Amino acid sequence: MIVLIGILVVVAGFATRRNPLLVVGAAGVVTGLLGGMSPMKVLEAFGTGFASSRSVTLFAVTLPVIGLLERHGLQEQARTLMNKLARVSAGRLLAVYLVVRQLAAALGLTGLGGPAQAVRPMIAPMAEAAAERRHGTLTERARERLRSFAASADTVGLFFGEDCFLAVGSILLITGFVNATYHTDLEPVQLALWAIPTAVCATLVHGARLLRLDATLARDVQGAPAADEAAAARVEEKTK
């Protein structure tokens, strides 16, 4: 049971908001050492896991590429593109991205988007440019709200779309567990088909929230001057 101290390391690390990569790495080292492994065996286990799960560590290659693209003006080009599309609002742009992301995930193309690959360098700047063109200068609250909705469009689209692809890991895990435990003949295509209504509902619900985003941003921007005046008045009263 002493090896379960590694779980406590994870809980403590996340509770104190430490770097997730360092927390998981430290928990792995602690668990290995308490389990009777030598330091070399622990290092070998990390190397084996890295070599057998290269797709998980693909971010080590993609993040520098995204960083170079951003440094050479990727976000500026995205903003320039949105300035040319006068009728596209921030909510409509994110709703379209939600649908595209979900359809791509349903076809197994889960790597076409992502927070680091698409949302931060392209989708969020494009949405901000569309919102600024329509509502003027955004407040910090409105900007953070817009960025969170951009991330949610990617997450919702991927989460509910990938289950419609019969070869995704979650579908295969469910079918394997059910067939082995309950001795049934559940096929992946059956789960994939039943996931379609859920994906459609997710698109309708979150798509409606995205389309209402423009009205919410307008209220945030219009209410900002009044909030600033009230704050200034409170400061002036305190100084008196």
Side-chain angles (χ1 to χ4, degrees):
M1 297 292 291
I2 195 173
V3 297
L4 296 180
I5 293 179
I7 299 178
L8 296 179
V9 173
V10 174
V11 173
F14 287 162
T16 55
R17 297 187 178 183
R18 303 296 180 182
N19 187 292
L21 185 60
L22 295 178
V23 170
V24 174
V29 172
V30 170
T31 302
L33 295 177
L34 293 178
M37 299 174 63
S38 65
M40 292 303 297
K41 286 291 185 180
V42 174
L43 184 60
E44 181 182 350
F46 272 100
T48 302
F50 182 88
S52 60
S53 303
R54 288 186 294 271
S55 60
V56 177
T57 56
L58 192 61
F59 71 91
V61 178
T62 59
L63 287 183
V65 174
I66 296 298
L68 287 174
L69 291 175
E70 288 189 9
R71 184 175 182 180
H72 288 82
L74 179 61
Q75 292 190 0
E76 288 73 11
Q77 292 298 324
R79 290 176 178 273
T80 302
L81 175 62
M82 287 308 303
N83 289 330
K84 296 179 180 179
L85 302 176
R87 294 186 178 181
V88 178
S89 65
R92 293 174 184 175
L93 171 68
L94 296 181
V96 171
Y97 179 71
L98 168 67
V99 175
V100 172
R101 180 69 162 139
Q102 194 169 63
L103 291 176
L107 297 176
L109 304 176
T110 58
L112 289 183
Q117 303 95 318
V119 175
R120 185 183 185 279
M122 292 184 295
I123 301 301
M126 292 170 68
E128 290 180 18
E132 289 175 350
R133 186 185 62 244
R134 174 166 293 196
H135 307 294
T137 303
L138 299 178
T139 63
E140 189 63 26
R141 178 181 178 182
R143 196 175 300 276
E144 292 298 326
R145 183 192 298 273
L146 186 58
R147 292 173 180 174
S148 65
F149 269 91
S152 69
D154 184 274
T155 303
V156 173
L158 174 64
F159 185 85
F160 290 96
E162 65 178 358
D163 287 340
C164 300
F165 185 61
L166 54 88
V168 74
S170 59
I171 296 294
L172 298 179
L173 177 62
I174 293 172
T175 54
F177 176 80
V178 171
N179 291 336
T181 304
Y182 300 104
H183 307 288
T184 61
D185 294 323
L186 183 64
E187 295 294 334
V189 66
Q190 295 175 276
L191 286 179
L193 290 176
W194 278 104
I196 294 178
T198 306
V200 172
C201 291
T203 303
L204 294 177
V205 172
H206 198 57
R209 297 183 68 225
L210 293 173
L211 293 177
R212 294 206 315 268
L213 178 61
D214 295 315
T216 304
L217 293 175
R219 288 196 299 269
D220 288 344
V221 174
Q222 292 173 359
D228 293 340
E229 292 178 1
R234 287 195 297 268
V235 172
E236 185 177 355
E237 290 178 0
K238 289 181 180 179
T239 56
K240 291 180 179 180

